[in-house]
Amino acid sequence: QLSVAIDSVDNTFFLLLIISCATCCIGFMGIYYLLFRVVMNNRKLEMTRQQLAINEQRFIRILSHTDNTFYVTDRRGNFQFTSEKVLQLTGYTTEELNNRSYLSLIPEEWQEQVQAFYHNQVAQNELHTVYRCPIVRKDGTIRWVEQSCILIQDQQKISGMQATVRDVTDTVLLEKTIEEQHFKLKSIMD
């Protein structure tokens, strides 16, 4: 009977040893699988980052070859990105405008009006607006621009604006000349 009890204990011990080894193997396989998934996810993440960088460079290249100036501001209106065409329009380099407020380009007598317009766009959550206003170039000359601004939203919160800007100085001057001629003609007719 003693040998039967010992055999029973040996069998139980052997069975527990096998179960423990199997559990460890399954555990190690699970850990290996999880590590494999982490490595694969990291590779996918890195590939996605590389693709985003390539797409960003393509986007910047496209913007560099358009006639319009393009910029992005943060929520406070500070330039975060400006296309290379900004130099032609403003006389400032992209580096000089980086983190600078858009209002720094607006003549003082227009700042309140321009700020109110864009504040209203944000308050009314208007996705897209078009606005004309003057800007002061680095050399002090005034140019008129037309800005097409789109709100940038991240998770339902407005995080900034992106805009395309074109120089409309010649159009504004022509409109003023026509208006003056119209006024003169009207005064002659009266």
Side-chain angles (χ1 to χ4, degrees), residues 3 21 23 32 41 62 68-69 72 77-78 81 84 90 95 100 104 119 135 140 145 152 158 161 164 166 177 181 185:
S3 70
C21 288
T23 304
Y32 175 77
N41 285 342
I62 289 168
N68 294 339
T69 299
V72 175
N78 298 321
F81 170 83
E84 293 178 19
T90 67
E95 292 79 20
R100 189 171 172 178
S104 65
H119 178 75
I135 62 166
V145 296
I152 301 171
I158 296 169
M161 289 187 178
T164 55
R166 63 188 185 104
T177 301
Q181 294 300 322
L185 184 60

Side-chain angles (χ1 to χ4, degrees), residues 34-96:
L34 290 175
L35 288 173
F36 175 77
R37 296 289 300 178
V38 167
V39 167
M40 292 306 292
N41 285 342
N42 283 343
R43 285 184 183 165
K44 286 180 183 178
L45 182 62
E46 185 57 34
M47 288 173 55
T48 302
R49 284 183 182 148
Q50 289 173 356
Q51 190 60 46
L52 281 172
I54 289 168
N55 289 344
E56 182 179 1
Q57 290 303 316
R58 285 181 186 154
F59 183 66
I60 290 171
R61 220 176 7 257
I62 289 168
L63 290 176
S64 298
H65 292 88
T66 64
D67 291 335
N68 294 339
T69 299
F70 179 82
Y71 70 83
V72 175
T73 67
D74 62 15
R75 183 172 173 75
R76 295 179 310 265
N78 298 321
F79 292 110
Q80 299 301 302
F81 170 83
T82 56
S83 64
E84 293 178 19
K85 296 283 183 181
V86 75
L87 179 63
Q88 286 176 280
L89 181 63
T90 67
Y92 292 99
T93 64
T94 56
E95 292 79 20
E96 289 174 308

Side-chain angles (χ1 to χ4, degrees), residues 163-179:
T164 55
V165 184
R166 63 188 185 104
D167 189 335
V168 293
T169 303
D170 293 339
T171 303
V172 169
L173 293 176
L174 183 60
E175 287 171 354
K176 284 183 180 181
T177 301
I178 290 171
E179 187 178 315

Side-chain angles (χ1 to χ4, degrees), residues 25 49 112 122 176:
C25 286
R49 284 183 182 148
E112 190 174 316
V122 171
K176 284 183 180 181

Side-chain angles (χ1 to χ4, degrees), residues 102-103 106 110-124 126 129 131 161:
Y102 75 95
L103 285 174
I106 307 297
W110 275 81
Q111 286 183 5
E112 190 174 316
Q113 180 181 343
V114 172
Q115 188 173 22
F117 179 84
Y118 289 117
H119 178 75
N120 186 56
Q121 180 182 3
V122 171
Q124 299 297 318
E126 288 185 61
T129 59
Y131 190 68
M161 289 187 178

